Amino acid sequence: MLCYRCDVLLALFVCPLICLPMSPCPPGCCCPGPGFLVLCESLGLRSLPRSVPLSTSALSVARNQLCNVDHLLRPFSGLQELSLSHNLLARFPRGLPPSLESLLLQQNRITYITSGSLRQLRNLTRLDLEDNRIRAIQPGALQGLNKLQVLTLKGNKLSSLPVNLPPSLTDLDLSGNCIASLDLPSLSALINLQVLQINSNCLRSVPENTFDILPRLRSVDLTDNLWVCQCDILYLYRWLVSGRLKMATDVVCKEPVHLAQHLLLNLSVISICPHVLKPNRKTNQLMFNNAAAMDTSHPGLYEDNEAPLKEISKRLPITKTQNPHDPHKARLLPYSLETLTYEECLSFNMSHSFSPTELKTESFLGEDQRCRENRTAPYFLSTSPSSAGTLSALSTFREEVPPTAAPQMFYQRDSTVVVSLLAVLCVLLVLIMMAVLIVLKKVLVQQQRVEPANERPVG
């Protein structure tokens, strides 16, 4: 009897374990690779979905209404890519898992970055904070990120360069702020910087030797600034003429008045700095002649002066991550947040045919939507009609795709059918095992009745 009970308990324990690995995605989400990529976008979520597998490597909860995710993602110890873009976060999330390598936070409401916000995220290689409201970054907030290569601070409210930037940076985007000057001490540490985008700011001139201290710099975008075309801009003028860097040549003067709206490259040294020949006429005349000679030796600079910078360095891929100190830790993910959109994922689940495309982005929620505190209900899933709201993409590389409600409905229906079938199989398995045990019990009882009869002495 004891053996019978043990077998029944074992069957009841093993059956749920059989069904566990086949558990479906959270409702409304898309999981093209179970345990790898989970996309829960444009669902009107006010809290994280409850049933996201802890083994997830890439998670996107973009284009929702999340206000606070502090410490809710720490259990995901293997999470490498996370997108919280297009939400309502008012501050940098706390308690993120240290395993993160790519963090997308564009189009939220973050206003500042404290020195302890990223202290645990030492494996980050990409950080995107585009289109927030960041006014200040505390000194040292980014200092410990020794693997960070791509930093995007575009479209914020910074008035100066962040200090103590990590030397590992190769791509820095500071466009769309109001930075008034380039701080040489902050730039001098960026020995690996290759691409600098500081267009659409409030720069008036460039200090001497600004680009000389960046040995690997190969592309700079300085367009749409408040350039004052006077003597202080001669250093930038010489760099544009020499062609040492790949730079946007449509640098337009804003001041003085008589040079306003003129291209800097179309001006002469005398028109920029009239007293350049007065102190030492012979020496400065030689400098002027050298500049004129450089002008004629680079005629291509004048053929298309108003052409903007067309090619920026390629973004670093984050689908394959590798630790330079331990090459055995390289990990290749079958899907990535940069190569698969939410809508493509739903279509893939229906047709099983899929071709990744580049991903674009666009704006999300209006400013008038209110943010609710989520501490009392961290796993509540909103089912309001607004959950099918605006569809924009995951990061700054996605294209807008029209909403498709039918794939999502069919996907949820398929998941329900699978779960039902598994439940039926489990019940049948339990019944079969119970029947086998009953038969075995009857056989044992029959044997026990036969044995005493055989043991009686013959009279």
Side-chain angles (χ1 to χ4, degrees):
M1 190 65 183
L2 180 61
C3 179
Y4 168 74
R5 292 179 179 178
C6 291
D7 289 340
V8 173
L9 291 175
L10 180 62
L12 294 177
F13 177 75
V14 171
C15 186
L17 293 180
I18 296 175
C19 299
L20 182 60
M22 299 296 294
S23 60
C25 288
C29 299
C30 183
C31 306
F36 292 102
L37 177 60
V38 177
L39 300 177
C40 301
E41 302 180 1
S42 303
L43 300 176
L45 300 177
R46 296 183 183 274
S47 62
L48 291 178
R50 190 174 206 174
S51 55
V52 176
L54 294 179
S55 60
T56 301
S57 298
L59 172 64
S60 172
V61 285
R63 295 176 287 158
N64 285 289
Q65 301 179 33
L66 301 177
C67 301
N68 183 11
V69 296
D70 289 353
H71 306 291
L72 297 179
L73 291 164
R74 183 168 288 277
F76 296 82
S77 58
L79 192 62
Q80 294 181 347
E81 302 177 33
L82 174 63
S83 174
L84 292 166
S85 60
H86 302 81
N87 277 285
L88 306 176
L89 300 177
R91 66 185 181 195
F92 197 93
R94 301 176 183 176
L96 296 176
S99 58
L100 276 181
E101 298 177 6
S102 174
L103 179 57
L104 309 181
L105 290 167
Q106 62 265 38
Q107 294 199 24
N108 278 278
R109 301 178 179 182
I110 301 172
T111 56
Y112 61 91
I113 306 295
T114 62
S115 57
S117 298
L118 297 97
R119 186 173 300 165
Q120 304 297 327
L121 305 179
R122 306 209 176 250
N123 289 315
L124 272 185
T125 59
R126 179 186 178 192
L127 177 60
D128 194 334
L129 292 164
E130 179 181 348
D131 290 335
N132 277 272
R133 305 172 183 179
I134 301 174
R135 294 181 177 273
I137 299 177
Q138 287 188 355
L142 305 169
Q143 192 169 12
L145 306 180
N146 297 324
K147 297 181 181 180
L148 188 63
Q149 296 179 335
V150 179
L151 175 60
T152 303
L153 291 166
K154 177 182 179 181
N156 283 281
K157 299 182 179 181
L158 296 174
S159 58
S160 61
L161 285 176
V163 297
N164 302 125
L165 292 171
S168 57
L169 278 179
T170 60
D171 192 327
L172 178 59
D173 189 350
L174 295 166
S175 58
N177 286 275
C178 195
I179 298 174
S181 63
L182 295 177
D183 184 37
L184 294 185
S186 298
L187 288 175
S188 61
L190 305 180
I191 57 176
N192 294 304
L193 189 65
Q194 300 179 17
V195 178
L196 175 61
Q197 294 175 263
I198 197 166
N199 52 293
S200 303
N201 275 276
C202 303
L203 295 176
R204 299 171 66 85
S205 64
V206 175
E208 288 286 335
N209 303 321
T210 298
F211 305 127
D212 298 325
I213 59 178
L214 302 174
R216 298 189 179 181
L217 190 65
R218 57 183 177 84
S219 178
V220 181
D221 191 349
L222 296 167
T223 58
D224 194 19
N225 277 279
L226 305 179
W227 298 115
V228 178
C229 295
Q230 293 179 343
C231 297
D232 291 339
I233 208 171
L234 286 179
Y235 172 77
L236 176 59
Y237 178 82
R238 291 195 299 270
W239 270 95
L240 289 173
V241 170
S242 66
R244 299 181 193 177
L245 291 179
K246 184 176 181 179
M247 303 176 68
T249 57
D250 55 341
V251 175
V252 179
C253 302
K254 299 296 182 182
E255 296 181 19
V257 178
H258 68 283
L259 295 179
Q261 304 305 319
H262 283 71
L263 290 175
L264 178 61
L265 276 177
N266 287 345
L267 302 177
S268 64
V269 175
I270 296 299
S271 61
I272 297 172
C273 188
H275 62 275
V276 69
L277 294 177
K278 293 182 180 179
N280 190 333
R281 182 176 299 272
K282 187 179 296 184
T283 302
N284 290 299
Q285 182 64 45
L286 179 61
M287 183 188 72
F288 174 73
N289 292 336
N290 290 338
M294 294 171 71
D295 291 353
T296 57
S297 63
H298 296 81
L301 291 174
Y302 295 94
E303 292 177 359
D304 191 11
N305 282 334
E306 297 188 6
L309 183 62
K310 295 181 180 179
E311 294 182 2
I312 304 298
S313 70
K314 297 181 179 179
R315 297 281 181 181
L316 294 174
I318 61 175
T319 56
K320 183 176 182 181
T321 58
Q322 182 173 4
N323 187 345
H325 303 292
D326 190 359
H328 299 290
K329 292 185 178 180
R331 184 175 185 184
L332 184 63
L333 301 180
Y335 299 99
S336 170
L337 297 183
E338 283 193 353
T339 59
L340 183 65
T341 65
Y342 178 66
E343 292 77 13
E344 290 168 344
C345 176
L346 294 175
S347 300
F348 171 62
N349 285 335
M350 291 188 61
S351 62
H352 301 286
S353 61
F354 156 70
S355 59
T357 57
E358 292 188 354
L359 312 178
K360 304 292 180 181
T361 188
E362 108 175 16
S363 60
F364 171 51
L365 298 174
E367 294 292 332
D368 55 345
Q369 295 195 357
R370 298 182 179 178
C371 180
R372 298 182 181 178
E373 185 64 32
N374 297 314
R375 295 183 182 271
T376 57
Y379 296 112
F380 174 73
L381 178 63
S382 173
T383 57
S384 62
S386 62
S387 61
T390 56
L391 292 175
S392 55
L394 168 64
S395 67
T396 56
F397 307 99
R398 290 194 175 180
E399 290 183 355
E400 181 183 6
V401 181
T404 56
Q408 179 176 338
M409 179 181 64
F410 285 116
Y411 176 72
Q412 293 178 352
R413 185 180 303 170
D414 293 341
S415 300
T416 304
V417 172
V418 172
V419 173
S420 301
L421 290 176
L422 290 175
V424 172
L425 289 176
C426 289
V427 173
L428 290 177
L429 179 61
V430 172
L431 294 176
I432 292 172
M433 293 185 68
M434 291 179 66
V436 171
L437 290 174
I438 292 173
V439 172
L440 291 176
K441 180 181 177 182
K442 290 182 178 181
V443 172
L444 291 175
V445 170
Q446 186 66 27
Q447 288 180 355
Q448 290 176 358
R449 291 177 180 177
V450 173
E451 288 177 357
N454 295 333
E455 294 177 355
R456 292 178 183 176
V458 179

